[in-house]
Amino acid sequence: MVRLDKKAKRLYVLDTNVLLHDPAALYQFEEHEVVIPMTVLEELDKLKNGLREIARTARQVSRTLSDLTNQVTFDEIQRGIPIPRAGGTTLGKLRFLCYPELKPLEHLEESPDNVLLAETCRLRDERPDASVILVSKDINLRVKAAALHVPVEDYLTDRAFSDSDVMLEGVRIYPDAEGSSGPWDQIEVEVEVERVDHHTFYRLEGRIPSDWHLGMLVSDSENGASFEAIVRELGPNQARLQLLTNYRHKDGVWGVHAHDSRQNFALNLLMDDDIDLVTIAGSAGTGKTFMTLAAAFQQTLDAKRFERIVFTRAPISMSEDIGFLPGTEEEKMSPWMGAFHDNMDNLLRDEHDGSTSWSQDATRSLIGSRVQIRAPGFMRGRTLNDTFLIIDEAQNFTPKQLKTLLTRAGRNTKIVCLGNVGQIDTPYLTANTCGMAAVVQRFSNWPHAGHVTLRSVERSRLALAGEELL
């Protein structure tokens, strides 16, 4: 990022990808002026046709610009269109940049990015009274701008947290020190224990740690913990914790047992009727999908709490696309559902002879009648009642796309988001701007949501070594 000396007045030149990433970006620059070059308008015009998400977003941006220009005269457009905000006040001004005769940058071909750079450079030369700053999500464009000494910034307004922070883990461990009576000595609170409807609650009075949030795990150890509880109520000087069910030694969840505190907490969140939204993060092989499917089948086939399971994920490949796929929606999604089939094979495996019933037609027919595999692009407009919705690879969704999926929830629906923010395959998304990070951060104080980051890799010593060494 390159910045020159800041002047009192700032002009932010927006790249096309900023508006496509956040159609409300025009309203995020407070009292400063927002500049949209003609190059950006032309790119939006080319993208507006079609049924893809990018076309819908381009049309939304066009409608916003149309609303702003609809009630103003030509002279007002030349002076700058006031950008309104809630309450009747105005922010800065919106300007359009048009140079009929634009001198191209030397030694650079006339691509849209280079034309945008040339427009920004000319605006900078014409406005010595102001700081002209190019805003783009394109890393390569930012590098070229830096080489040309053009002040440039990434669009960071929609970050769920700053670069110096990390995504919430949803876990607070208080190691049991020698001679202490659990975590209470370390946080200096008064504790009162009560029993309500076969559940044990701990009511705390005193100075509650500032890093606590609703729906998080409080434990005294990562492995072999003697105390594990979820935060149900929280205030500056009081909190109420509920003791967790131990899924290590009981029947488990559909035969699946927890190996450490984080996995036990994840199973508790998945089985908790009071938790409507669960987010589980973790690197490859930590058991995210395995435990989620076990909880889904336990509550759908055995407990009859839900009528169906809907499994979806972003169809993004890690290499070249294999082209169009034949068949129905489920058949088209099948290549992306390897994680589902692998985990079903393990969940239905016989521990004695190693055989699995997942390959039998009767088993596939029984489970298939309750499981729907859906593409996220066809979820718009649906209402999912009595559904256990699993969103895999949630880190590859934008906040807007995840909002579309979360708002599909109807009566008696539980949504589980699985992902790893260190494994993002979508352009312009980062660990602190992806949809999963936004969901974790913004639902952290909602009493019906819970989050946990898993750490222990369950696949093999090779998978563990690969995660650490590569």
Side-chain angles (χ1 to χ4, degrees):
M1 182 175 66
V2 175
R3 285 187 180 181
L4 299 182
D5 294 336
K6 288 289 185 184
K7 302 179 176 68
K9 196 177 190 63
R10 298 183 199 173
L11 276 65
Y12 288 97
V13 182
L14 302 191
D15 192 3
T16 311
N17 50 57
V18 173
L19 294 170
L20 294 175
H21 180 77
D22 181 9
L26 295 172
Y27 302 95
Q28 305 299 328
F29 293 90
E30 299 178 347
E31 74 277 9
H32 306 296
E33 293 190 10
V34 177
V35 180
I36 299 182
M38 283 298 155
T39 307
V40 172
L41 295 177
E42 289 174 0
E43 288 191 305
L44 288 173
D45 189 58
K46 293 176 183 177
L47 294 170
K48 70 180 182 182
N49 297 319
L51 298 176
R52 293 189 306 157
E53 186 67 26
I54 191 172
R56 295 190 185 99
T57 306
R59 290 194 293 268
Q60 183 179 346
V61 175
S62 298
R63 286 192 294 269
T64 301
L65 294 175
S66 176
D67 291 340
L68 289 173
T69 58
N70 194 30
Q71 302 297 329
V72 295
T73 64
F74 177 77
D75 291 337
E76 289 175 316
I77 293 177
Q78 297 300 307
R79 293 194 301 268
I81 304 169
I83 301 176
R85 67 184 306 174
T89 58
T90 59
L91 297 170
K93 291 183 178 181
L94 170 65
R95 296 182 183 275
F96 297 101
L97 194 60
C98 179
Y99 292 121
E101 297 180 2
L102 182 68
K103 182 180 178 181
L105 297 173
E106 294 183 8
H107 311 301
L108 293 177
E109 64 179 21
E110 197 170 329
S111 65
D113 281 356
N114 293 337
V115 172
L116 178 61
L117 283 173
E119 290 172 322
T120 306
C121 289
R122 180 163 170 178
L123 179 63
R124 178 193 60 188
D125 297 338
E126 290 179 352
R127 294 294 302 273
D129 61 313
S131 294
V132 177
I133 303 166
L134 176 62
V135 182
S136 176
K137 300 291 295 180
D138 189 338
I139 297 175
N140 290 332
L141 180 59
R142 296 205 301 268
V143 171
K144 287 198 287 187
L148 294 170
H149 299 285
V150 175
V152 62
E153 294 180 1
D154 189 5
Y155 180 70
L156 302 175
T157 305
D158 63 338
R159 290 185 307 175
F161 46 84
S162 66
D163 291 329
S164 60
D165 298 327
V166 293
M167 190 173 73
L168 294 174
E169 289 200 0
V171 176
R172 189 69 169 88
I173 305 295
Y174 294 92
D176 193 2
E178 185 177 351
S180 69
S181 58
W184 316 128
D185 289 347
Q186 301 180 50
I187 57 179
E188 299 178 355
V189 292
E190 295 182 3
V191 184
E192 179 182 338
V193 182
E194 57 184 356
R195 184 90 175 163
V196 181
D197 296 331
H198 307 291
H199 295 289
T200 303
F201 292 89
Y202 289 78
R203 187 171 294 279
L204 312 183
E205 296 284 346
R207 184 177 297 175
I208 305 300
S210 59
D211 58 350
W212 281 23
H213 60 84
L214 293 174
M216 71 176 291
L217 167 68
V218 177
S219 175
D220 59 7
S221 175
E222 289 276 4
N223 300 298
S226 59
F227 177 83
E228 295 171 338
I230 181 174
V231 178
R232 292 291 193 189
E233 299 174 11
L234 186 63
N237 299 309
Q238 60 84 28
R240 191 166 184 252
L241 279 60
Q242 180 181 344
L243 203 63
L244 298 181
T245 301
N246 190 342
Y247 286 109
R248 294 177 179 84
H249 312 299
K250 294 181 63 178
D251 294 336
V253 177
W254 231 52
V256 175
H257 298 84
H259 292 167
D260 59 24
S261 286
R262 293 171 185 257
Q263 290 185 356
N264 190 57
F265 182 49
L267 289 175
N268 273 269
L269 292 176
L270 292 167
M271 298 297 294
D272 194 334
D273 292 348
D274 289 331
I275 300 295
D276 299 331
L277 174 64
V278 180
T279 50
I280 303 178
S283 57
T286 50
K288 303 184 296 293
T289 309
F290 189 65
M291 290 189 295
T292 301
L293 283 174
F297 287 115
Q298 173 82 24
Q299 296 173 85
T300 304
L301 300 179
D302 295 350
K304 310 294 184 185
R305 183 192 165 195
F306 303 106
E307 291 184 359
R308 59 183 171 176
I309 301 166
V310 176
F311 195 101
T312 187
R313 60 162 288 177
I316 298 173
S317 61
M318 63 179 292
S319 60
E320 289 194 20
D321 200 345
I322 61 175
F324 290 101
L325 300 171
T328 63
E329 180 185 354
E330 291 204 6
E331 290 170 339
K332 290 178 185 291
M333 287 297 294
S334 183
W336 308 103
M337 292 300 160
F340 172 80
H341 295 294
D342 291 344
N343 281 283
M344 288 308 304
D345 186 71
N346 289 322
L347 281 171
L348 298 173
R349 187 173 297 280
D350 191 307
E351 295 182 359
H352 301 291
D353 59 10
S355 63
T356 177
S357 59
W358 182 235
S359 58
Q360 300 174 4
D361 292 339
T363 303
R364 281 180 176 262
S365 178
L366 171 65
I367 293 179
S369 65
R370 294 296 189 95
V371 179
Q372 297 178 4
I373 296 175
R374 292 290 179 258
F378 299 111
M379 298 288 282
R380 187 186 294 270
R382 297 190 63 184
T383 299
L384 303 176
N385 295 322
D386 302 309
T387 301
F388 194 106
L389 174 60
I390 303 171
I391 304 173
D392 198 15
E393 303 292 343
Q395 78 278 0
N396 285 326
F397 289 100
T398 66
K400 180 187 173 186
Q401 290 171 330
L402 266 191
K403 178 182 177 180
T404 300
L405 293 176
L406 294 183
T407 52
R408 299 308 96 209
R411 180 192 66 254
N412 187 37
T413 289
K414 191 185 191 88
I415 297 182
V416 182
C417 297
L418 310 175
N420 176 14
V421 294
Q423 206 172 57
I424 296 175
D425 302 312
T426 307
Y428 308 136
L429 289 184
T430 63
N432 57 5
T433 62
C434 67
M436 184 165 190
V439 168
V440 170
Q441 200 73 20
R442 291 167 191 172
F443 279 87
S444 61
N445 289 312
W446 192 54
H448 303 290
H451 168 72
V452 61
T453 299
L454 302 178
R455 285 186 175 176
S456 59
V457 175
E458 301 295 335
R459 282 182 180 158
S460 65
R461 61 187 180 189
L462 174 58
L464 178 61
E467 185 67 33
E468 293 177 349
L469 301 177
L470 295 178

